[in-house]
Amino acid sequence: MHDFGALRSLHLARFQAEPAIFVAPGRVNLIGEHTDYAEGFVMPVAIDFATLAGISPRSDGKIVLYSENYGDEKTFDAEALPEKASKHWSDYPLGVVVTLAREGHAIPGFSLSLWGDVPLGSGLSSSAAVEVATALAVTSLLEISYPGPLLARLCQRAENEFVGASCGIMDQFISANGAEDNALLLDCRDLSYTLAPIPPEVALVIANTMVSHSVAGGEYTSRRAEVEEACAVIARHRPEVRFLRDATVRDLEQWGQEMSPNALKRARHVITENLRTVAAAAALIHHDLKELGRLMAEAHRSYSQDFEASCLEADAMVALAQDLPGLIGARLTGGGFGGCTINLVEREHAAEFAEALGARYATEIGIVPQIHICHASGGARRLA
Ligand code: ADP
Ligand code: MG
Protein backbone atom coordinates (compact mmCIF):
# COMPACT_ATOMS: atom_id res chain seq x y z
CA MET A 1 0.00 0.00 0.00
CA HIS A 2 2.08 2.92 -1.23
CA ASP A 3 -0.76 5.26 -0.45
CA PHE A 4 1.01 7.83 1.70
CA GLY A 5 -2.16 9.95 1.93
CA ALA A 6 -4.33 7.05 3.11
CA LEU A 7 -1.89 6.04 5.85
CA ARG A 8 -1.49 9.65 6.97
CA SER A 9 -5.28 10.07 7.19
CA LEU A 10 -5.83 6.91 9.18
CA HIS A 11 -2.97 7.74 11.58
CA LEU A 12 -4.29 11.29 12.07
CA ALA A 13 -7.84 10.06 12.69
CA ARG A 14 -6.75 7.36 15.14
CA PHE A 15 -3.99 9.17 17.05
CA GLN A 16 -4.67 12.91 16.41
CA ALA A 17 -1.00 13.39 15.55
CA GLU A 18 0.95 14.01 12.36
CA PRO A 19 3.00 10.88 11.51
CA ALA A 20 6.44 10.59 9.94
CA ILE A 21 5.99 7.90 7.27
CA PHE A 22 8.41 5.19 6.12
CA VAL A 23 8.15 2.45 3.50
CA ALA A 24 9.88 -0.94 3.24
CA PRO A 25 9.40 -3.39 0.34
CA GLY A 26 8.83 -7.14 0.16
CA ARG A 27 11.18 -9.20 -1.98
CA VAL A 28 11.62 -12.10 -4.33
CA ASN A 29 14.81 -14.16 -4.61
CA LEU A 30 16.03 -14.60 -8.19
CA ILE A 31 18.51 -17.34 -7.30
CA GLY A 32 20.44 -18.68 -4.29
CA GLU A 33 18.21 -20.91 -2.18
CA HIS A 34 19.29 -22.37 1.20
CA THR A 35 22.73 -20.86 0.71
CA ASP A 36 22.42 -18.09 3.29
CA TYR A 37 23.07 -20.22 6.38
CA ALA A 38 26.02 -21.86 4.58
CA GLU A 39 27.55 -18.35 4.43
CA GLY A 40 27.02 -18.34 0.67
CA PHE A 41 25.41 -16.08 -1.93
CA VAL A 42 21.82 -15.00 -2.62
CA MET A 43 20.45 -12.62 -5.25
CA PRO A 44 17.10 -11.08 -4.23
CA VAL A 45 15.18 -8.13 -5.68
CA ALA A 46 12.94 -5.70 -3.79
CA ILE A 47 9.44 -5.62 -5.32
CA ASP A 48 6.60 -3.11 -5.68
CA PHE A 49 4.62 -4.58 -2.78
CA ALA A 50 5.56 -2.80 0.43
CA THR A 51 4.56 -1.91 3.98
CA LEU A 52 4.16 1.64 5.24
CA ALA A 53 4.78 2.63 8.86
CA GLY A 54 3.57 5.94 10.33
CA ILE A 55 4.94 7.05 13.69
CA SER A 56 4.27 9.90 16.13
CA PRO A 57 5.46 10.49 19.71
CA ARG A 58 3.18 10.09 22.77
CA SER A 59 3.49 11.68 26.18
CA ASP A 60 1.80 8.90 28.22
CA GLY A 61 4.68 6.38 28.03
CA LYS A 62 2.59 3.91 25.99
CA ILE A 63 3.59 2.13 22.81
CA VAL A 64 0.48 1.67 20.69
CA LEU A 65 0.81 -0.55 17.61
CA TYR A 66 -1.97 -0.59 15.04
CA SER A 67 -2.19 -2.69 11.86
CA GLU A 68 -4.72 -1.68 9.24
CA ASN A 69 -4.29 -5.14 7.65
CA TYR A 70 -5.55 -6.78 10.84
CA GLY A 71 -7.81 -3.89 11.98
CA ASP A 72 -6.27 -4.47 15.38
CA GLU A 73 -4.42 -2.43 18.01
CA LYS A 74 -2.13 -3.49 20.90
CA THR A 75 -0.79 -1.33 23.70
CA PHE A 76 2.42 -1.82 25.70
CA ASP A 77 4.16 0.08 28.45
CA ALA A 78 7.45 1.55 27.15
CA GLU A 79 8.99 1.12 30.63
CA ALA A 80 8.00 -2.56 30.88
CA LEU A 81 8.37 -4.15 27.46
CA PRO A 82 7.47 -7.87 27.25
CA GLU A 83 10.36 -10.35 27.30
CA LYS A 84 8.56 -12.86 25.13
CA ALA A 85 6.50 -13.04 21.96
CA SER A 86 2.78 -13.81 22.17
CA LYS A 87 2.09 -15.41 18.75
CA HIS A 88 0.35 -12.27 17.57
CA TRP A 89 1.10 -10.03 14.55
CA SER A 90 2.45 -7.40 16.95
CA ASP A 91 5.42 -9.69 17.73
CA TYR A 92 7.11 -8.46 14.54
CA PRO A 93 7.09 -4.70 15.19
CA LEU A 94 7.41 -5.20 18.95
CA GLY A 95 10.42 -7.50 18.37
CA VAL A 96 12.20 -4.61 16.66
CA VAL A 97 11.44 -2.28 19.58
CA VAL A 98 12.57 -4.86 22.17
CA THR A 99 15.78 -5.54 20.19
CA LEU A 100 16.55 -1.80 20.06
CA ALA A 101 16.02 -1.67 23.84
CA ARG A 102 18.36 -4.68 24.24
CA GLU A 103 20.95 -2.75 22.22
CA GLY A 104 20.84 -0.10 24.93
CA HIS A 105 18.44 2.51 23.54
CA ALA A 106 15.90 4.14 25.85
CA ILE A 107 12.49 3.72 24.20
CA PRO A 108 9.91 6.49 24.62
CA GLY A 109 6.16 6.16 24.07
CA PHE A 110 4.86 6.34 20.50
CA SER A 111 1.98 5.44 18.19
CA LEU A 112 2.77 3.31 15.14
CA SER A 113 0.39 2.47 12.32
CA LEU A 114 1.18 -0.20 9.74
CA TRP A 115 -0.41 -0.84 6.39
CA GLY A 116 0.99 -3.09 3.69
CA ASP A 117 0.10 -4.79 0.43
CA VAL A 118 2.75 -7.54 0.57
CA PRO A 119 0.64 -10.73 0.57
CA LEU A 120 0.94 -12.16 4.11
CA GLY A 121 2.71 -15.49 4.46
CA SER A 122 3.18 -16.07 0.71
CA GLY A 123 6.96 -16.06 0.77
CA LEU A 124 7.31 -12.46 -0.43
CA SER A 125 8.53 -11.41 3.00
CA SER A 126 5.80 -9.32 4.51
CA SER A 127 7.54 -9.99 7.84
CA ALA A 128 10.79 -8.28 6.81
CA ALA A 129 8.83 -5.38 5.30
CA VAL A 130 7.04 -4.80 8.63
CA GLU A 131 10.27 -5.11 10.62
CA VAL A 132 12.32 -2.80 8.41
CA ALA A 133 9.57 -0.15 8.14
CA THR A 134 9.17 -0.26 11.94
CA ALA A 135 12.95 -0.08 12.49
CA LEU A 136 13.26 2.99 10.27
CA ALA A 137 10.32 4.65 11.99
CA VAL A 138 11.52 3.98 15.54
CA THR A 139 15.20 4.84 14.91
CA SER A 140 14.06 8.11 13.33
CA LEU A 141 11.97 8.89 16.42
CA LEU A 142 15.06 8.15 18.56
CA GLU A 143 17.11 10.40 16.26
CA ILE A 144 19.62 7.63 15.64
CA SER A 145 20.66 6.24 12.31
CA TYR A 146 21.53 2.61 11.53
CA PRO A 147 23.32 2.07 8.19
CA GLY A 148 21.30 -0.30 5.95
CA PRO A 149 23.28 -3.50 6.69
CA LEU A 150 23.06 -2.90 10.47
CA LEU A 151 19.35 -2.11 10.23
CA ALA A 152 18.93 -5.48 8.49
CA ARG A 153 20.88 -7.27 11.26
CA LEU A 154 18.71 -5.58 13.91
CA CYS A 155 15.54 -6.82 12.17
CA GLN A 156 16.93 -10.32 11.68
CA ARG A 157 17.74 -10.46 15.41
CA ALA A 158 14.16 -9.36 16.15
CA GLU A 159 12.77 -12.20 14.03
CA ASN A 160 15.27 -14.83 15.30
CA GLU A 161 15.39 -13.92 18.98
CA PHE A 162 12.00 -12.35 19.70
CA VAL A 163 9.55 -13.78 17.17
CA GLY A 164 11.42 -17.10 17.24
CA ALA A 165 11.69 -17.73 13.47
CA SER A 166 15.09 -19.00 12.30
CA CYS A 167 15.40 -16.93 9.11
CA GLY A 168 18.67 -15.87 7.47
CA ILE A 169 19.61 -12.27 6.73
CA MET A 170 18.41 -12.10 3.11
CA ASP A 171 14.86 -10.77 3.54
CA GLN A 172 15.70 -7.91 5.87
CA PHE A 173 18.85 -7.07 3.91
CA ILE A 174 17.15 -6.58 0.56
CA SER A 175 14.22 -4.73 2.10
CA ALA A 176 16.63 -2.28 3.74
CA ASN A 177 19.18 -2.02 0.90
CA GLY A 178 17.38 -2.74 -2.37
CA ALA A 179 18.02 -0.42 -5.32
CA GLU A 180 15.51 0.40 -8.04
CA ASP A 181 15.98 -1.60 -11.27
CA ASN A 182 18.64 -3.81 -9.69
CA ALA A 183 19.02 -7.22 -8.15
CA LEU A 184 21.46 -7.46 -5.25
CA LEU A 185 24.12 -10.17 -5.06
CA LEU A 186 24.69 -10.56 -1.32
CA ASP A 187 27.62 -12.38 0.24
CA CYS A 188 26.04 -13.73 3.43
CA ARG A 189 29.51 -14.21 4.97
CA ASP A 190 30.44 -10.55 5.34
CA LEU A 191 27.30 -8.77 4.01
CA SER A 192 29.22 -7.20 1.16
CA TYR A 193 27.08 -6.78 -1.94
CA THR A 194 27.07 -5.92 -5.63
CA LEU A 195 24.16 -4.53 -7.61
CA ALA A 196 23.26 -6.32 -10.84
CA PRO A 197 21.03 -4.31 -13.19
CA ILE A 198 17.72 -5.76 -14.38
CA PRO A 199 17.25 -4.49 -17.95
CA PRO A 200 14.11 -2.37 -18.45
CA GLU A 201 12.75 -4.86 -20.98
CA VAL A 202 12.60 -7.62 -18.32
CA ALA A 203 9.56 -8.07 -16.03
CA LEU A 204 9.43 -10.09 -12.82
CA VAL A 205 6.37 -12.31 -12.98
CA ILE A 206 5.67 -13.85 -9.57
CA ALA A 207 3.29 -16.82 -9.66
CA ASN A 208 1.80 -17.97 -6.36
CA THR A 209 1.05 -21.72 -6.37
CA MET A 210 -1.44 -21.01 -3.53
CA VAL A 211 -0.14 -24.07 -1.68
CA SER A 212 2.11 -24.19 1.35
CA HIS A 213 2.79 -27.73 2.45
CA SER A 214 2.87 -27.94 6.21
CA VAL A 215 5.98 -30.14 6.16
CA ALA A 216 8.00 -26.98 5.53
CA GLY A 217 9.00 -26.25 9.17
CA GLY A 218 10.28 -29.74 9.94
CA GLU A 219 11.86 -30.19 6.53
CA TYR A 220 13.74 -26.89 6.90
CA THR A 221 15.29 -28.21 10.11
CA SER A 222 16.19 -31.59 8.61
CA ARG A 223 17.71 -29.99 5.49
CA ARG A 224 19.87 -27.77 7.66
CA ALA A 225 21.02 -30.81 9.67
CA GLU A 226 21.93 -32.68 6.46
CA VAL A 227 23.86 -29.67 5.15
CA GLU A 228 25.77 -29.53 8.44
CA GLU A 229 26.46 -33.29 8.33
CA ALA A 230 27.98 -32.95 4.84
CA CYS A 231 30.07 -29.99 5.94
CA ALA A 232 31.39 -31.88 8.99
CA VAL A 233 32.54 -34.78 6.77
CA ILE A 234 34.46 -32.43 4.48
CA ALA A 235 35.92 -30.56 7.45
CA ARG A 236 37.45 -33.83 8.76
CA HIS A 237 39.68 -33.76 5.68
CA ARG A 238 39.92 -30.01 5.16
CA PRO A 239 39.58 -28.28 8.56
CA GLU A 240 39.53 -24.85 6.91
CA VAL A 241 36.02 -25.68 5.57
CA ARG A 242 33.71 -24.11 8.16
CA PHE A 243 30.63 -23.83 5.97
CA LEU A 244 29.65 -25.30 2.60
CA ARG A 245 30.54 -21.89 1.18
CA ASP A 246 34.16 -23.04 1.50
CA ALA A 247 33.58 -26.47 -0.11
CA THR A 248 33.86 -27.51 -3.76
CA VAL A 249 32.32 -30.09 -6.09
CA ARG A 250 35.73 -31.84 -5.96
CA ASP A 251 35.33 -32.26 -2.16
CA LEU A 252 32.09 -34.13 -2.82
CA GLU A 253 33.73 -36.36 -5.41
CA GLN A 254 36.49 -37.22 -2.94
CA TRP A 255 34.54 -37.64 0.30
CA GLY A 256 30.89 -37.87 -0.69
CA GLN A 257 30.83 -41.63 -0.04
CA GLU A 258 31.44 -40.93 3.68
CA MET A 259 28.13 -39.02 3.85
CA SER A 260 24.57 -40.29 3.96
CA PRO A 261 23.04 -40.21 0.44
CA ASN A 262 20.75 -37.34 1.47
CA ALA A 263 23.55 -35.24 2.94
CA LEU A 264 25.50 -35.68 -0.31
CA LYS A 265 22.56 -34.50 -2.42
CA ARG A 266 21.79 -31.51 -0.19
CA ALA A 267 25.45 -30.48 -0.21
CA ARG A 268 25.59 -30.81 -3.99
CA HIS A 269 22.66 -28.40 -4.23
CA VAL A 270 24.22 -25.82 -1.90
CA ILE A 271 27.70 -25.95 -3.44
CA THR A 272 26.48 -25.72 -7.04
CA GLU A 273 23.84 -23.11 -6.12
CA ASN A 274 26.55 -20.80 -4.80
CA LEU A 275 28.39 -21.09 -8.12
CA ARG A 276 25.17 -20.50 -10.08
CA THR A 277 24.26 -17.43 -8.02
CA VAL A 278 27.59 -15.71 -8.62
CA ALA A 279 27.38 -16.68 -12.32
CA ALA A 280 23.82 -15.31 -12.54
CA ALA A 281 24.95 -11.91 -11.26
CA ALA A 282 27.72 -11.88 -13.87
CA ALA A 283 25.17 -12.81 -16.55
CA LEU A 284 22.97 -9.86 -15.53
CA ILE A 285 25.92 -7.49 -15.45
CA HIS A 286 26.94 -8.65 -18.97
CA HIS A 287 23.33 -8.58 -20.18
CA ASP A 288 23.46 -12.29 -21.03
CA LEU A 289 19.80 -13.18 -20.44
CA LYS A 290 20.09 -16.55 -22.15
CA GLU A 291 22.75 -17.65 -19.65
CA LEU A 292 20.67 -16.27 -16.78
CA GLY A 293 17.67 -18.34 -17.92
CA ARG A 294 19.83 -21.46 -18.20
CA LEU A 295 21.15 -20.94 -14.64
CA MET A 296 17.61 -20.48 -13.29
CA ALA A 297 16.47 -23.72 -14.96
CA GLU A 298 19.45 -25.58 -13.51
CA ALA A 299 18.77 -24.03 -10.10
CA HIS A 300 15.19 -25.28 -10.17
CA ARG A 301 16.30 -28.79 -11.12
CA SER A 302 18.84 -28.81 -8.30
CA TYR A 303 16.32 -27.44 -5.76
CA SER A 304 13.71 -29.99 -6.82
CA GLN A 305 15.86 -33.11 -7.31
CA ASP A 306 18.89 -32.71 -5.03
CA PHE A 307 17.47 -30.53 -2.27
CA GLU A 308 13.98 -32.05 -2.65
CA ALA A 309 12.35 -28.80 -1.52
CA SER A 310 9.86 -28.43 -4.38
CA CYS A 311 6.41 -29.99 -4.69
CA LEU A 312 4.08 -31.15 -7.44
CA GLU A 313 2.40 -27.74 -7.77
CA ALA A 314 5.64 -25.73 -7.96
CA ASP A 315 7.18 -28.18 -10.44
CA ALA A 316 4.01 -27.82 -12.54
CA MET A 317 4.12 -24.00 -12.40
CA VAL A 318 7.72 -24.06 -13.65
CA ALA A 319 7.05 -26.70 -16.34
CA LEU A 320 3.92 -24.94 -17.63
CA ALA A 321 5.90 -21.71 -18.16
CA GLN A 322 8.59 -23.27 -20.34
CA ASP A 323 7.16 -22.82 -23.84
CA LEU A 324 5.25 -19.58 -23.24
CA PRO A 325 6.42 -16.62 -25.39
CA GLY A 326 8.82 -14.26 -23.64
CA LEU A 327 10.10 -16.58 -20.89
CA ILE A 328 13.75 -16.02 -19.95
CA GLY A 329 13.88 -18.25 -16.86
CA ALA A 330 11.62 -19.77 -14.19
CA ARG A 331 12.18 -21.39 -10.82
CA LEU A 332 10.65 -21.97 -7.41
CA THR A 333 11.72 -19.17 -5.06
CA GLY A 334 11.78 -19.05 -1.26
CA GLY A 335 12.00 -21.69 1.43
CA GLY A 336 10.30 -24.43 -0.59
CA PHE A 337 7.34 -26.86 -0.44
CA GLY A 338 5.00 -24.37 -2.12
CA GLY A 339 4.90 -20.59 -2.27
CA CYS A 340 5.82 -18.68 -5.41
CA THR A 341 7.77 -19.19 -8.60
CA ILE A 342 9.75 -16.32 -10.13
CA ASN A 343 9.60 -15.95 -13.89
CA LEU A 344 11.80 -13.49 -15.76
CA VAL A 345 9.79 -12.52 -18.82
CA GLU A 346 10.28 -10.05 -21.69
CA ARG A 347 8.14 -7.10 -20.61
CA GLU A 348 6.22 -6.88 -23.89
CA HIS A 349 4.97 -10.47 -23.31
CA ALA A 350 4.45 -10.22 -19.54
CA ALA A 351 0.68 -9.65 -19.49
CA GLU A 352 -0.19 -12.48 -21.89
CA PHE A 353 2.41 -14.70 -20.18
CA ALA A 354 0.73 -14.15 -16.80
CA GLU A 355 -2.71 -14.87 -18.20
CA ALA A 356 -1.67 -18.01 -20.08
CA LEU A 357 0.31 -19.38 -17.11
CA GLY A 358 -2.62 -18.79 -14.77
CA ALA A 359 -5.03 -20.57 -17.13
CA ARG A 360 -2.71 -23.54 -17.62
CA TYR A 361 -2.10 -23.93 -13.87
CA ALA A 362 -5.83 -23.71 -13.12
CA THR A 363 -6.55 -26.45 -15.66
CA GLU A 364 -3.71 -28.72 -14.56
CA ILE A 365 -3.85 -28.27 -10.75
CA GLY A 366 -7.42 -27.08 -10.21
CA ILE A 367 -6.42 -23.94 -8.29
CA VAL A 368 -6.56 -20.37 -9.64
CA PRO A 369 -3.12 -18.86 -8.87
CA GLN A 370 -2.35 -15.24 -8.03
CA ILE A 371 0.12 -13.85 -10.54
CA HIS A 372 1.84 -10.48 -10.07
CA ILE A 373 3.85 -8.51 -12.62
CA CYS A 374 6.50 -6.54 -10.72
CA HIS A 375 9.59 -4.47 -11.31
CA ALA A 376 12.69 -4.12 -9.13
CA SER A 377 11.86 -1.40 -6.63
CA GLY A 378 14.03 0.66 -4.29
CA GLY A 379 14.78 -0.24 -0.67
CA ALA A 380 13.30 1.18 2.53
CA ARG A 381 13.16 4.94 2.94
CA ARG A 382 11.31 7.87 4.47
CA LEU A 383 8.44 9.24 2.40
CA ALA A 384 8.23 13.01 2.27
P1 ADP B 1 6.09 -13.82 4.83
O1 ADP B 1 7.22 -13.05 5.42
O2 ADP B 1 6.53 -14.78 3.78
O3 ADP B 1 4.98 -12.96 4.34
P2 ADP B 1 5.89 -14.75 7.54
O4 ADP B 1 5.14 -15.86 8.16
O5 ADP B 1 7.37 -14.72 7.70
O6 ADP B 1 5.49 -14.72 5.99
O7 ADP B 1 5.35 -13.36 8.11
C1 ADP B 1 3.97 -13.05 8.07
C2 ADP B 1 3.57 -12.40 9.38
O8 ADP B 1 4.13 -11.07 9.49
C3 ADP B 1 2.09 -12.20 9.48
O9 ADP B 1 1.44 -13.38 9.93
C4 ADP B 1 2.01 -11.06 10.52
O10 ADP B 1 2.18 -11.58 11.81
C5 ADP B 1 3.23 -10.22 10.19
N1 ADP B 1 2.84 -9.12 9.28
C6 ADP B 1 3.16 -8.98 7.99
N2 ADP B 1 2.63 -7.85 7.45
C7 ADP B 1 1.92 -7.26 8.45
C8 ADP B 1 1.13 -6.05 8.56
N3 ADP B 1 0.95 -5.24 7.51
N4 ADP B 1 0.57 -5.77 9.75
C9 ADP B 1 0.77 -6.57 10.81
N5 ADP B 1 1.50 -7.71 10.78
C10 ADP B 1 2.07 -8.05 9.63
MG1 MG C 1 8.88 -13.87 6.51
Side-chain angles (χ1 to χ4, degrees):
M1 201 62 51
H2 296 81
D3 196 339
F4 175 92
L7 184 78
R8 176 171 177 261
S9 303
L10 88 79
H11 191 97
L12 273 169
R14 177 165 284 269
F15 299 116
Q16 290 81 48
E18 184 68 49
I21 298 183
F22 301 82
V23 63
R27 65 95 187 95
V28 69
N29 191 21
L30 293 189
I31 191 164
E33 230 60 79
H34 285 262
T35 45
D36 55 354
Y37 53 81
E39 294 204 345
F41 295 91
V42 295
M43 191 164 69
V45 185
I47 55 177
D48 308 299
F49 297 119
T51 299
L52 295 188
I55 194 164
S56 56
R58 297 176 68 97
S59 52
D60 61 359
K62 303 273 183 231
I63 292 177
V64 183
L65 307 176
Y66 172 73
S67 166
E68 175 70 6
N69 295 81
Y70 287 86
D72 185 33
E73 184 179 287
K74 268 266 226 194
T75 300
F76 303 90
D77 191 343
E79 298 277 288
L81 290 169
E83 297 278 318
K84 281 209 188 106
S86 59
K87 304 234 175 292
H88 186 260
W89 64 263
S90 59
D91 293 343
Y92 292 82
L94 182 65
V96 170
V97 177
V98 168
T99 307
L100 276 167
R102 287 177 185 166
E103 293 194 353
H105 301 288
I107 310 290
F110 62 85
S111 307
L112 183 83
S113 40
L114 297 165
W115 194 4
D117 64 358
V118 189
L120 303 184
S122 296
L124 301 180
S125 214
S126 68
S127 59
V130 162
E131 290 153 7
V132 172
T134 301
L136 271 187
V138 178
T139 52
S140 141
L141 186 77
L142 296 174
E143 297 183 337
I144 54 175
S145 152
Y146 273 57
L150 289 184
L151 197 79
R153 271 279 185 243
L154 172 84
C155 293
Q156 185 200 12
R157 275 190 66 200
E159 189 153 342
N160 291 165
E161 295 168 18
F162 190 82
V163 177
S166 62
C167 58
I169 184 79
M170 169 169 71
D171 301 355
Q172 294 83 1
F173 199 93
I174 183 69
S175 184
N177 302 290
E180 177 129 37
D181 298 324
N182 281 276
L184 187 155
L185 174 70
L186 174 66
D187 183 338
C188 297
R189 169 153 281 171
D190 61 8
L191 300 191
S192 60
Y193 66 92
T194 313
L195 296 179
I198 309 242
E201 70 271 20
V202 175
L204 311 171
V205 181
I206 300 168
N208 191 339
T209 62
M210 314 301 281
V211 301
S212 161
H213 294 287
S214 56
V215 293
E219 296 286 324
Y220 180 88
T221 311
S222 68
R223 292 298 183 284
R224 265 189 95 139
E226 287 159 351
V227 163
E228 277 156 24
E229 180 200 323
C231 191
V233 168
I234 297 170
R236 283 208 295 267
H237 302 278
R238 288 213 299 131
E240 68 276 22
V241 173
R242 289 189 302 120
F243 292 91
L244 284 186
R245 156 68 179 276
D246 307 307
T248 63
V249 175
R250 172 115 181 86
D251 292 330
L252 292 182
E253 287 161 4
Q254 284 188 285
W255 301 303
Q257 76 282 0
E258 295 173 31
M259 301 168 191
S260 69
N262 273 352
L264 173 60
K265 284 164 73 177
R266 310 310 183 228
R268 189 162 59 215
H269 167 75
V270 173
I271 292 170
T272 58
E273 185 82 346
N274 272 324
L275 297 172
R276 279 187 295 271
T277 304
V278 173
L284 266 180
I285 287 165
H286 297 117
H287 206 108
D288 187 347
L289 296 179
K290 199 160 168 232
E291 172 67 357
L292 179 64
R294 191 189 67 75
L295 290 163
M296 287 175 75
E298 218 176 277
H300 184 76
R301 234 178 347 264
S302 171
Y303 203 31
S304 179
Q305 291 170 16
D306 275 347
F307 212 72
E308 295 182 89
S310 188
C311 57
L312 181 134
E313 296 86 351
D315 283 343
M317 192 73 92
V318 168
L320 294 170
Q322 292 307 316
D323 63 343
L324 289 175
L327 180 75
I328 296 162
R331 53 175 288 280
L332 171 61
T333 181
F337 310 102
C340 296
T341 68
I342 170 70
N343 303 265
L344 294 188
V345 180
E346 290 163 17
R347 187 164 289 282
E348 57 173 327
H349 293 288
E352 43 172 320
F353 175 93
E355 198 176 315
L357 181 61
R360 283 183 173 185
Y361 184 80
T363 305
E364 172 117 352
I365 302 295
I367 303 174
V368 177
Q370 278 170 6
I371 304 194
H372 314 286
I373 301 174
C374 290
H375 97 296
S377 95
R381 63 203 174 274
R382 183 171 184 158
L383 295 176

